[in-house]
Amino acid sequence: VYQGKIDKRKAGDVVLKRPKLTVEGAAELQEVEAWMNDRVSRDARGACADFLGSFRVTPDEAYLNVSEGVIAKEGLWLVWKYEGDRTLAQYMAQPDYPMGIANALLGREGNVRGDAAVELEVTQAAMRQVFKNLASVHRAGLVHRDIKPHNLVLTENGPEPRFKLIDLGACACFRTGMNFAPDETIMDPKYAPPEEYLIPSDDAPDIRKLFGPVALAAGSAAWLQHKPDRFDMYSAGIVMMQLALPSLRTNSGLTTFNRGLKRC
């Protein structure tokens, strides 16, 4: 992931992302993420980072670029408007939490480390935005599947700071079947619900093999019956617990919690 500028379009600062082609499946994930971002920019605008589009660098072009001293490696590059580079995970990791995030999110200075009232206000403000974003994504028939503090970026532009969702590589679409395979799951086990699936595989239609309107009907019926959006809501609940409980803000604390949950 890189930060750059597009001068000719006067788009200002942008974020660019390319797949690591040495990683198996990275190129396919990049294609999925491009499709999902295009979809979100039309049907859930404002919930995720503002997507500007994509461009592809062929092996021949990459070779020529290197010979000319330009770093533009092979693959599909995705481009977003630069909206900030601080995630909720970074704010939670700060030793003076909630001072930094209260200043950035609420415009409140002079906060005291560990102030319970300020932590509560931060938690309420952040989760209100997360739930609003998820409601917009879910109305579009999409399930993000990777909700966690690392994928919530705090915007620096606009009328007021707010959290937006990023990283749609694991997102599944119930209207077209894109990236939804009943027997395949992409997830972070620390934030995924115990079931680890969107729909029980025995009941899941293979939407990808169905024709347009039929796929839409099958996906809508599956959504109403199984409520796959609960996958994201569980993950959002874990994020809320991390905001509320300092002991869960570390990987070890979250792992211990998940072990205990599994025993129950």
Side-chain angles (χ1 to χ4, degrees):
V1 178
Y2 302 87
Q3 183 178 346
K5 289 182 182 293
I6 302 181
D7 293 328
K8 290 183 180 178
R9 287 184 54 185
K10 297 183 179 178
D13 287 3
V14 295
V15 173
L16 301 104
K17 181 179 181 180
R18 74 170 186 88
K20 291 183 178 178
L21 298 181
T22 54
V23 177
E24 186 179 354
E28 289 79 4
L29 269 180
Q30 190 83 336
E31 298 282 353
V32 167
E33 188 163 6
W35 190 94
M36 292 294 175
N37 273 277
D38 185 58
R39 175 72 195 287
V40 164
S41 67
R42 287 182 283 113
D43 297 337
R45 192 165 188 85
C48 301
D50 194 3
F51 186 57
L52 298 179
S54 62
F55 62 93
R56 194 179 299 275
V57 177
T58 66
D60 290 342
E61 289 171 334
Y63 176 78
L64 289 172
N65 286 332
V66 171
S67 66
E68 294 172 6
V70 179
I71 301 174
K73 295 183 179 178
E74 175 188 351
L76 178 66
W77 289 69
L78 309 185
V79 187
W80 293 266
K81 181 179 178 182
Y82 175 83
E83 301 198 64
D85 61 0
R86 303 300 296 275
T87 65
L88 179 57
Q90 289 171 296
Y91 282 111
M92 284 200 303
Q94 291 177 338
D96 63 351
Y97 186 89
M99 293 172 65
I101 191 172
N103 187 13
L105 181 61
L106 307 173
R108 293 259 304 273
E109 297 185 6
N111 304 293
V112 180
R113 175 185 174 185
D115 187 321
V118 176
E119 287 197 20
L120 175 60
E121 197 174 348
V122 165
T123 301
Q124 290 173 328
M127 293 311 301
R128 190 179 296 117
Q129 293 169 7
V130 171
F131 289 141
K132 184 178 180 180
N133 292 338
L134 285 177
S136 181
V137 168
H138 293 159
R139 277 195 299 270
L142 302 168
V143 183
H144 187 283
R145 278 202 297 188
D146 200 15
I147 298 299
K148 55 186 178 182
H150 303 78
N151 288 337
L152 295 165
V153 66
L154 188 64
T155 62
E156 295 177 356
N157 46 26
E160 59 183 25
R162 56 183 290 253
F163 282 105
K164 287 189 175 184
L165 307 177
I166 58 173
D167 199 346
L168 301 179
C171 196
C173 177
F174 272 71
R175 292 182 180 173
T176 63
M178 171 65 78
N179 211 31
F180 169 60
D183 54 348
E184 295 175 16
T185 305
I186 306 168
M187 61 173 190
D188 184 330
K190 294 192 296 295
Y191 293 90
E195 297 83 5
E196 299 186 352
Y197 54 69
L198 295 173
I199 290 180
S201 56
D202 294 343
D203 296 334
D206 196 342
I207 306 171
R208 298 167 300 173
K209 295 181 180 178
L210 301 175
F211 174 69
V214 180
L216 179 59
S220 299
W223 188 289
L224 289 172
Q225 181 181 355
H226 295 288
K227 300 178 174 60
D229 50 317
R230 289 185 295 191
F231 190 108
D232 286 343
M233 299 314 292
Y234 178 93
S235 304
I238 295 292
V239 174
M240 184 166 70
M241 288 175 62
Q242 287 187 293
L243 285 165
L245 301 169
S247 62
L248 293 183
R249 290 178 196 152
T250 62
N251 276 333
S252 58
L254 197 53
T255 300
T256 300
F257 165 78
N258 278 310
R259 279 204 206 100
L261 182 65
K262 195 170 184 178
R263 283 198 299 272
C264 294

